Structures are given as structure tokens and as C-alpha cells.
Amino acid sequence: MNFGVDCGMFPLGSCTMKYNPKVSERLGRNRGLINAHPHQPEESVQGLLEILYNLSQMLAEITGTDKVSLAPAAGAQGEFVGALIMRAYIRDKGELETRDEMLVPDSAHGTNPASAAMAGFKVVKVPSNREGQVDIESVKEKVSERTAGMMLTVPNTLGLFERNIIEITRLVHDAGGLMYYDGANMNALLGRVRAGDMGFDIVHINVHKTFSTPHGGGGPGAGPVGVVSKLADYLPIPTVERRSRGYYLNYVLAKSIGRVKGFHGNIGVLLRAYVYISMLGSGGLKKVSEQSVLASNYLLKQLDQNAYSLPYAESTPRKHEFVVSCQPLKDKAGVRTMEIAKSLLDEGVHAPTTYFPLIVDEALMVEPTETEPFENLDQYANILNQTARAALTDPVARLRITNAPNNTAVSKLDEVKASHPATLVLNWRKIPKL
Ligand SMILES: *Cc1c(COP(=O)(O)O)cnc(C)c1O
């Protein structure tokens, strides 16, 4: 009854459900490492600290930043940390009263405006232009002496690389703001471009996505944050450092925003990332970006455009993921994205992300990842196309699709009821017969 990346494709856009190598699992569960106690003296955990130190160096190299904190437990927490660092930096410049706006494109991940708001900023939305890129004219209008910074998801949630990054970073920097890079999904850009080289000041990476840890069902994760040198003293404590006598945890960072996580971060996830990066090396990481982009464009090209239209079609290629719209199916057959997604479950495959990003109606967001062989991509495209053809031509099949899922252990769920406190049942119990 269960489904995971070992059973087949898991093309959940924005989530990067790539195959998690079993060797990372085995090494990540090394008993000498996972049985270490967080209160153990530093001398007795030098090996573990060395791994964490090396990982932070690797992530600094990959992102083009000067110093990395491994503490944040997830991407969203990495963003929150980044926004708090911005706030502390602005406070130290004596501008906290006047600099309170965070620019966020409408194609950003939903956690971006949430993190900015939690850190006390006013969110200023920047629209996308007709190519699905940040509208540079709008950035010019909205950037001002009130701008604390701008958060950019790269590639954006349409799977597009922002072409005007250099100009955007210049505009925001000239106004005295900082640039934040949401690097949750770095699959497409590994070894190609680095956030630091493009002028970003703060970056987070979702190591559970890009560097593979099983994270279905909401965790576990880790969202390390890298910063440029002028922000290094603001990172959360502790950071892992090296001195002549060995490795140690540094709790005395001059301007640190403080602690964000119990003990030293989600060590298990960080260990898996270390294994994954060490195993692939820089050449392997470059291959990841090449193949993730190839896989996504290969799959996209096979989809029937009469059923799945491509918004912002003139912007190609897509990066590691793409977004199509099931609007043609809705118009011609009255079948909605959610119904297509549910009927994919009947075919024994996992559905893509639905109804995200919000700037595309009837969105289907597909991220095949670099670990899928072409046979799987072909099969997935066939299933999507056959489902669409059935919806368009066969009234009986259409009814099956709108009632889907029909073959799963649990049929269509009432999603409103499922999240309503009065009816939500969180543990198993025998339901009395009425
Ligand atoms: C997944 C994701 C996040 C949030 O990461 P979590 O680890 O789920 O908190 C933020 N931004 C982007 C672009 C993402 O894809």
C-alpha cells in the first residue's frame, strides 16, 4: 500500500524526490556516528566534527559563499534564519525603523513571503512578466530606501532561470538592500553557476532535496545557510570551526542571531549529504545538473500539448522541473488537474505537484529528477497522454477519471473534512457502527 522512490517515479515538483542512494543510508547510520551524544566532550567526537566542518566547506564552495551554518532544520527555517540575519544587519546599521520591506516575486516558493513576514518584514510582491521572469521594470519601481532585501527562488517555480539576476542584484544593492537566494532545489545549477558569484549575500540549500535524504511526509531535513563574509558573524550558533588542536563548536559569534535548533542540527541528514557529495565529486555534481535538466525537458517534449499546455512557452529550456496547465482538459472535457492527478494513482504511479505555482491555472508541476532512466520517463509520458486522451474521447473513461482513485486502498478523500478539527481523526481507532 506504500509508495516511495524505490517503487517508481516520484515527480513531485519543487520537492526533488530523487533516488536516495542506499550507500548514504548505510553510512549515515554508522553506529559510531549516530550513537554520539550531543553532550559528549569535543575531543571524543573529532571525527564527526571533521565531517561537519568539511561539509560546511563543501557547501560554501558549491554556493560561492564565505561561511556556512549547518544548524537550520529545513529550507523554510533556513529562510527564516536568512531573514533574521538581514534584520540584525539592518539594525546594526541603524536602519531598522526605515528599512522594512522585502521584495518577493509572485513566482517565489510560498515559504519566502512567510519567512519574511515572520521576521517582521512587509512583503512587497513583484509580478512576473510574460516570459515568466521577474519583471525588471517593476523591481525598479518597487526598490527604494525602504528595501531590506529581495528573496529570489532560482530556478523559479516555473522551472526557469532568472535571466536578469545580475541587474536585479545591482538594483537592490544600490538601494542598500541584501539579496537572498532560495537554493532549495539546486539540482539544475550544480557546478554551473554559484549564488555568491551572482551577487547574492545569503543562500540556503535544502540538502535533503539536492543532496538526497528520504524526506517524504514532511521530514527530516536540513537547510544550511551560507553568507558572504560581512554577514559571517551573524550566523546562528554553534558553528563548526577548526583550530590547531582540532575541531570545535563555536558559541561565541559576535553578532549571532542565536540558536535556532536544539543541539547541532539534523546530523543524520547532514551525514547523508556529506556521503552523497563526496561520492559524486565535482564532476558527478555537474553531471547531476546536466541530467536533471535533460530529464525534465525530455519528459516535457513528449506531453500532448492539446491536453497539457505550456505557459510561458517561449521561455526554454526548463531547468530541473516544468509546469504545464491542464486548462485545455478542463475546457474540452470538464476534467480538472486534481482528477488527472488522482487517476495517475490508479495507474500505479505517483502524481506530480498540483495547483502550484499559483500563477498558473490548473497547474501540474513535474520534477522527474536526474535519477530516472529514459524508460521511466517514456512510461510516465504515456500514462499522462493516455489519461488525457481517455478524458477527451471516452465518456465512460472520463467518469472513471473524475471518480479516481478507484484502485487504491482509500478512495477519494474529502480534503475539506480531512483538515477540519471537528472531524480530523489523527490516530487509529475502531469506528463504532452507527
Ligand atoms: C522545498 C522548498 C522550500 C522549503 O523547504 P522545506 O525544507 O520544506 O522547509 C523553500 N523553497 C523552495 C524553492 C522549495 O522547493
Side-chain angles (χ1 to χ4, degrees):
M1 285 162 64
N2 212 341
F3 188 93
V5 281
D6 288 1
C7 316
M9 229 169 103
F10 206 141
L12 212 48
S14 196
C15 294
T16 312
M17 300 307 220
K18 64 174 72 171
Y19 174 74
N20 304 292
K22 294 296 172 277
V23 62
S24 326
E25 282 305 301
R26 203 164 306 142
L27 294 173
R29 287 183 200 169
N30 176 295
R31 289 173 65 188
L33 297 171
I34 61 170
N35 289 339
H37 192 279
H39 282 319
Q40 241 171 279
E42 273 162 8
E43 313 84 76
S44 68
V45 285
Q46 282 295 305
L48 181 52
L49 290 179
E50 181 179 350
I51 289 175
L52 296 177
Y53 178 82
N54 288 344
L55 177 63
S56 65
Q57 298 294 107
M58 287 167 171
L59 296 177
E61 170 71 24
I62 288 168
T63 54
T65 53
D66 296 313
K67 190 160 181 177
V68 168
S69 162
L70 301 174
Q77 202 189 18
E79 293 168 29
F80 183 51
V81 161
L84 289 181
I85 290 175
M86 277 194 194
R87 212 180 144 77
Y89 177 76
I90 291 164
R91 182 201 56 213
D92 287 353
K93 289 208 303 179
E95 297 179 339
L96 201 54
E97 299 300 313
T98 51
R99 234 177 238 290
D100 57 353
E101 293 181 353
M102 186 80 83
L103 304 187
V104 181
D106 61 2
S107 62
H109 194 264
T111 47
N112 291 186
S115 304
M118 270 181 69
F121 293 112
K122 285 193 201 113
V123 176
V124 177
K125 191 154 102 174
V126 182
S128 303
N129 62 19
R130 288 206 312 221
E131 279 108 55
Q133 304 267 331
V134 170
D135 182 23
I136 194 91
E137 294 311 315
S138 176
V139 176
K140 283 180 193 159
E141 269 165 37
K142 291 181 173 164
V143 82
S144 75
E145 69 283 357
R146 295 211 75 89
T147 305
M150 179 164 186
M151 299 176 86
L152 269 190
T153 302
V154 190
N156 70 24
T157 54
L158 294 167
L160 294 171
F161 186 77
E162 293 290 347
R163 255 180 280 128
N164 298 318
I165 284 177
I166 302 294
E167 192 177 354
I168 293 170
T169 52
R170 192 182 49 75
L171 284 169
V172 172
H173 282 156
D174 284 354
L178 294 170
M179 285 299 296
Y180 186 93
Y181 183 108
D182 179 340
N185 320 91
M186 292 251 279
N187 313 289
L189 302 178
L190 288 173
R192 309 282 157 185
V193 284
R194 304 192 309 167
D197 298 341
M198 294 186 285
F200 287 90
D201 304 288
I202 311 173
V203 189
H204 91 264
I205 315 145
N206 279 22
V207 295
H208 47 292
K209 290 178 181 169
T210 306
F211 303 124
S212 90
T213 293
H215 61 275
V225 170
V227 294
V228 293
S229 55
K230 72 173 172 191
L231 300 175
D233 282 347
Y234 291 92
L235 284 173
I237 48 168
T239 51
V240 189
E241 316 263 358
R242 185 165 69 170
R243 62 187 161 204
S244 57
R245 279 180 289 123
Y247 300 90
Y248 70 104
L249 293 164
N250 182 6
Y251 289 90
V252 286
L253 277 187
K255 302 165 182 164
S256 172
I257 59 161
R259 261 192 179 282
V260 296
K261 171 88 180 75
F263 299 115
H264 318 311
N266 271 341
I267 304 287
V269 179
L270 298 169
L271 288 175
R272 283 166 179 78
Y274 179 74
V275 174
Y276 185 84
I277 296 171
S278 310
M279 189 167 61
L280 291 182
S282 55
L285 293 181
K286 225 169 163 171
K287 193 123 205 178
V288 165
S289 50
E290 182 179 291
Q291 292 189 352
S292 69
V293 174
L294 181 59
S296 119
N297 287 281
Y298 179 83
L299 180 55
L300 171 61
K301 278 270 157 32
Q302 296 194 59
L303 295 188
D304 181 353
Q305 292 258 345
N306 295 316
Y308 308 104
S309 64
L310 181 66
Y312 310 100
E314 60 279 17
S315 297
T316 50
R318 302 297 152 134
K319 294 293 181 238
H320 61 292
E321 63 191 0
F322 62 85
V323 179
V324 288
S325 168
C326 299
Q327 191 67 43
L329 279 174
K330 192 176 167 190
D331 295 342
K332 294 175 203 166
V335 174
R336 304 192 59 219
T337 302
M338 189 55 84
E339 293 161 348
I340 294 291
K342 297 287 183 200
S343 73
L344 291 177
L345 308 184
D346 281 343
E347 304 297 327
V349 294
H350 200 284
T353 297
T354 54
Y355 298 103
F356 183 77
L358 303 176
I359 52 176
V360 172
D361 292 331
E362 298 297 318
L364 204 57
M365 185 189 208
V366 188
E367 180 181 6
T369 85
E370 76 282 0
T371 52
E372 289 310 321
F374 289 120
E375 292 81 358
N376 289 6
L377 302 174
D378 291 341
Q379 186 208 10
Y380 203 82
N382 277 339
I383 292 173
L384 269 170
N385 289 339
Q386 276 164 16
T387 306
R389 207 165 310 128
L392 289 168
T393 57
D394 179 350
V396 178
R398 190 182 308 141
L399 194 61
R400 232 182 117 68
I401 291 168
T402 49
N403 285 331
N406 304 284
N407 298 339
T408 50
V410 177
S411 59
K412 204 192 243 353
L413 298 172
D414 182 334
E415 295 192 2
V416 177
K417 210 169 156 190
S419 59
H420 196 282
T423 50
L424 192 62
V425 181
L426 287 175
N427 55 354
W428 187 88
R429 56 177 120 118
K430 193 167 176 224
I431 300 169
K433 278 220 171 70
L434 295 173

